[in-house]
Amino acid sequence: AATADFKGFTLLMPAVSVGNVGQLAIDLVISTLDMTKVGYFYTDCLVPMVGNNPYATAEENSVELSINAEVYSLPSKKLVVLQIRSPFIKNKYRPFCETLLSWVKSSKCARVVLLSSSHAYQRDDEQLLGTPLRYLLTPDLEKAVGGRMKELNWKEMEKVAAYPGISDTEKVLHIPGGGITKLLFTESCSEGIQMAVLLKFCSEGDNIPDAFVLVNYLNEWLQLIKSEVNPSSQWKIPSSWRLLFGNGLPPALF
């Protein structure tokens, strides 16, 4: 409902980005934590779609319908999730961001965590080094959790030369293939919203491993599930993945 009060909750959501990695990672969170659907996010900025329940656990709930943007909640962890299942309509990025941030304020969410991805082939020399995972924090969230990120030894997303090969003095944030990521982050910075972006450099293809890497990265910080020797084995595969990927899923995931 428009008046839903998620005061103090963390809003977790994906960007529709390269490899759909953020959306796949969100699927793992919703399925593993058995989150309850509490509503939908109405917008004309996404391609309309409808389908069966992607998290069906029995024949009885398999016929429930799902649409392009739905909201799930887990009050025990003060977590609310917005899952997006269809691409954006051309030129609708900004209206979506404005509507979303307005809802974040009205629902009193404490912070937003955006799961995203970026084209691996467009990394600069510095981004080729070390881990393919990066994070960004708005100034308001930096004050609260910046120290924790340093404890985790995470790498902040590097800015790149605005005019490569001509001048390296002017640096800009560049997230190719990231969809709404940069716009949503910069708008959150200007509006004083606490937002973190967690992203992985990847390529289109079999992006299931990328989703596991990204959701484990998220779990290092938020501790949504207990960290084991092999945390990937703790995530529950949604029933819809078997229909989508079939034999493309590693046997260990069944």
Side-chain angles (χ1 to χ4, degrees):
T3 56
D5 186 355
F6 295 118
K7 186 175 182 179
F9 279 51
T10 294
L11 170 62
L12 181 63
M13 63 173 288
V16 182
S17 52
V18 55
N20 305 105
V21 177
Q23 294 156 291
L24 292 171
I26 292 291
D27 268 349
L28 291 170
V29 171
I30 294 171
S31 184
T32 303
L33 300 181
D34 195 22
M35 298 184 72
T36 302
K37 183 162 65 176
V38 294
Y40 59 90
F41 189 81
Y42 176 75
T43 174
D44 63 356
C45 301
L46 296 167
V47 173
M49 59 79 54
V50 65
N52 283 20
N53 180 7
Y55 313 115
T57 54
E59 189 175 345
E60 292 74 26
N61 64 4
S62 65
V63 294
E64 294 175 4
L65 295 181
S66 295
I67 61 169
N68 55 8
E70 294 185 321
V71 181
Y72 297 78
S73 177
L74 186 62
S76 63
K77 290 187 178 291
K78 289 234 166 190
L79 183 69
V80 58
V81 170
L82 170 63
Q83 176 62 304
I84 299 173
R85 299 193 178 96
S86 68
F88 283 87
I89 294 172
K90 189 176 181 180
N91 299 325
K92 289 285 190 175
Y93 277 12
R94 189 169 294 278
F96 178 83
C97 290
E98 291 171 354
T99 304
L100 175 71
L101 295 181
S102 176
W103 176 62
V104 168
K105 291 178 181 178
S106 65
S107 59
K108 303 176 184 175
C109 291
R111 60 189 176 186
V112 182
V113 180
L114 181 69
L115 301 185
S116 184
S117 51
S118 183
H119 283 302
Y121 74 89
Q122 288 193 246
R123 288 174 291 177
D124 67 4
D125 290 348
E126 188 178 2
Q127 292 171 339
L128 286 167
L129 300 174
T131 175
L133 296 160
R134 295 293 188 276
Y135 78 92
L136 286 166
L137 299 176
T138 59
D140 287 79
L141 188 56
E142 174 76 41
K143 296 172 187 174
V145 303
R148 176 59 178 152
M149 301 313 187
K150 288 181 173 59
E151 288 175 12
L152 292 170
N153 201 29
W154 282 10
K155 289 190 72 171
E156 188 172 4
M157 182 69 171
E158 302 90 345
K159 290 186 176 180
V160 300
Y163 306 102
I166 301 174
S167 171
D168 294 330
T169 55
E170 186 180 346
K171 301 278 188 177
V172 295
L173 182 63
H174 187 48
I175 309 177
I180 65 168
T181 304
K182 181 179 176 180
L183 177 61
L184 193 55
F185 178 75
T186 54
E187 289 294 306
S188 297
C189 288
S190 62
E191 295 195 27
I193 290 174
Q194 295 193 14
M195 172 177 279
V197 175
L198 308 187
L199 67 81
K200 184 180 186 299
F201 294 115
C202 67
S203 302
E204 292 280 1
D206 178 5
N207 297 107
I208 293 171
D210 298 310
F212 276 95
V213 170
L214 186 59
V215 79
N216 287 333
Y217 187 53
L218 170 73
N219 197 59
E220 283 183 43
W221 172 29
L222 295 187
Q223 294 293 294
L224 299 177
I225 62 171
K226 290 182 180 180
S227 295
E228 304 289 342
V229 176
N230 179 19
S232 292
S233 66
Q234 305 299 309
W235 298 104
K236 179 182 175 184
I237 304 300
S239 56
S240 59
W241 281 28
R242 292 170 174 82
L243 297 174
L244 286 170
F245 303 113
N247 294 331
L249 283 174
L253 300 182
F254 282 92

